[in-house]
Amino acid sequence: MIEIHHYVIHELEKQATSMDVNEKLSQGLAEINGFAFALVEKMHVAFKEDSSTKNTKFTDTNESPFQNTLKSYLQNECTSDDFLKFSKDSLIDLKNRIKGESLSVGGFYVFADYKFNEKKYILVGLLRKEDGFDTEFKNGVFVVKGIKNLNINKLAMGFRFNVDIYDNQIDDDRNYIALITTGKTISKYFRDWVSAKGLINNDANTKAFIEIITSIKKEEIPKRFNSKIEFWTSLYTFIEESDKYVKLEIVSAMYFDDKFFLISFANEKGIVIDNEFSCDMNRLKSLIEIRVKADGIDLKIPRNKINNEDISIDNGSVTIHSQEFAEEILQELILFQNG
């Protein structure tokens, strides 16, 4: 499931309210052992489970040392020396950035180049001792003492780079960077450090959400619904009553009894979406309503009325079976003629 190519740990020492930052950098890569596999896998999964995960891309301008050295590493042969240089050069730049951030604190920065389910990633995560992350500096390299107390429920900060999506940007316009911080917003200095663009907007998240929901097969929808339309209608109403705010974990737990169902489904389909976002209800309305303009006719049709006793489609023709609708049209014609 997971294959690690390189990984290394460095430390930045800084206390909150202090401007002093000290670096302690490994002079070589860490040994890839059982702990390394457990650590990197837990950090990778944290991006799926953390509600603060946001998705984006690199900025087009003002490239940071982080972006430059990472690109250089990927463009070369991805050697251990190049990976170590990427990690050290970028962390020195971060040290200079957080000197002016009085509330920022230090910790251990884990850099990893790995494959998960045959997809290549570059990951950088900030961990602290309270996460059960205990290390020692041995022969110029940070090594971890053990894994018994490892408890990574949330990364303090995290950057995960999907190399496969990045390498196929011409044919794939998806976001290839996932970011985590413990707050509701990504710290500006952290986003500037990794040279990340602004985050996904609500319209893009809503579009991705619709793609997920409409891709779920009929046999996968909850048994209590007789059709996809009935499921979509219930979902639309639920989101509308939730102040138009979507939390994928809550929606998944409520409809599928598995809080990671939608997140896992999105990952499997390669659909990039934030775990939480404000929904664009006008766009979401396409789940329950069809808007058609053709031949000078403009119609809004509820999906649940199509192909039943209300509206039927047969041999390329649409028939509306509604006496009330017909009477309204006739009434409008009479008013116009008498006017």
Side-chain angles (χ1 to χ4, degrees), residues 58 62-74 85-94 97 109-111 122-125 158-161 177 179 190-196:
F58 278 138
N62 300 321
E63 295 179 351
S64 68
F66 183 99
Q67 183 183 163
N68 287 331
T69 53
L70 176 55
K71 285 182 176 179
S72 177
Y73 167 71
L74 293 172
K85 176 177 171 55
F86 154 60
S87 67
K88 292 170 71 174
D89 287 357
S90 59
L91 205 65
I92 291 299
D93 178 54
L94 178 61
R97 291 175 185 271
Y109 287 83
V110 180
F111 289 72
I122 305 294
L123 183 150
V124 183
F159 165 94
R160 192 181 70 185
F161 182 84
I177 292 173
L179 298 175
F190 182 77
R191 195 172 72 192
D192 290 345
W193 175 50
V194 299
S195 196

